[in-house]
Amino acid sequence: MTVEAVGEALAAVNAGLNLTSTVLLLVGVRYIRLREIRKHRRCMIGAVTASALFLVLYLLRFSLTGTHTFEGPEMVRRIYLVVLFSHMALAAAVVPLVLRLLLFLKRRRFKAHRRLARWTFPIWLYVSVTGLFVYFMLYHLYG
């Protein structure tokens, strides 16, 4: 198996991890609104795990294959780049937010957790969904 093939496989696995995180975030929010805290906790632990594993595998893929050039038409490329740069900036921002949420939980500061989660959830969800968009655009639509 070539390095490029490994990189392609890792990209597909990462898309699956992004999808997993997206679904778990949405289901987890539904559970907390229903006050099913144990189910919410399981979903959110799954989302954190999927996202952390994504980060490790993304760094591995990047170290193996580097960046990829978007091959689509210029107008689509502009849209792709706007989404990509917003995705990257918010992905970097969401990591400390999620770590802070976990710290609040560890210290049993549930009100602080709830306040921060209201900001963190939409950012994390956007990062997960746009990760899928970037993957689809780069590897399937114009890959």
Side-chain angles (χ1 to χ4, degrees), residues 20-142:
T20 299
S21 183
T22 299
V23 170
L24 289 171
L25 286 169
L26 292 169
V27 173
V29 166
R30 177 79 174 137
Y31 280 138
I32 201 62
R33 288 184 178 149
L34 295 172
R35 301 194 189 284
E36 296 192 41
I37 294 170
R38 183 170 288 147
K39 290 178 181 178
H40 167 76
R41 184 183 312 130
R42 287 181 185 149
C43 285
M44 301 319 276
I45 288 170
V48 168
T49 302
S51 294
L53 187 54
F54 166 87
L55 182 57
V56 169
L57 294 178
Y58 173 80
L59 292 172
L60 175 62
R61 191 212 48 82
F62 182 80
S63 71
L64 292 172
T65 62
T67 60
H68 292 79
T69 303
F70 183 75
E71 301 293 336
E74 185 58 32
M75 186 59 194
V76 177
R77 182 177 181 274
R78 289 178 186 168
I79 295 166
Y80 168 80
L81 289 175
V82 167
V83 172
L84 176 63
F85 290 137
S86 66
H87 168 81
M88 290 168 50
L90 291 173
V94 81
V95 172
L97 293 172
V98 170
L99 292 174
R100 184 97 170 143
L101 285 173
L102 294 171
L103 181 63
F104 285 152
L105 287 176
K106 183 178 181 189
R107 293 183 177 169
R108 304 183 63 78
R109 294 182 54 198
F110 301 117
K111 282 187 179 184
H113 173 85
R114 188 177 314 118
R115 279 193 306 271
L116 183 58
R118 287 191 179 122
W119 288 95
T120 304
F121 168 73
I123 296 169
W124 193 357
L125 184 62
Y126 178 84
V127 168
S128 293
V129 170
T130 56
L132 291 167
F133 173 84
V134 167
Y135 169 76
F136 177 73
M137 295 293 283
L138 195 59
Y139 287 90
H140 293 286
L141 197 57
Y142 296 104

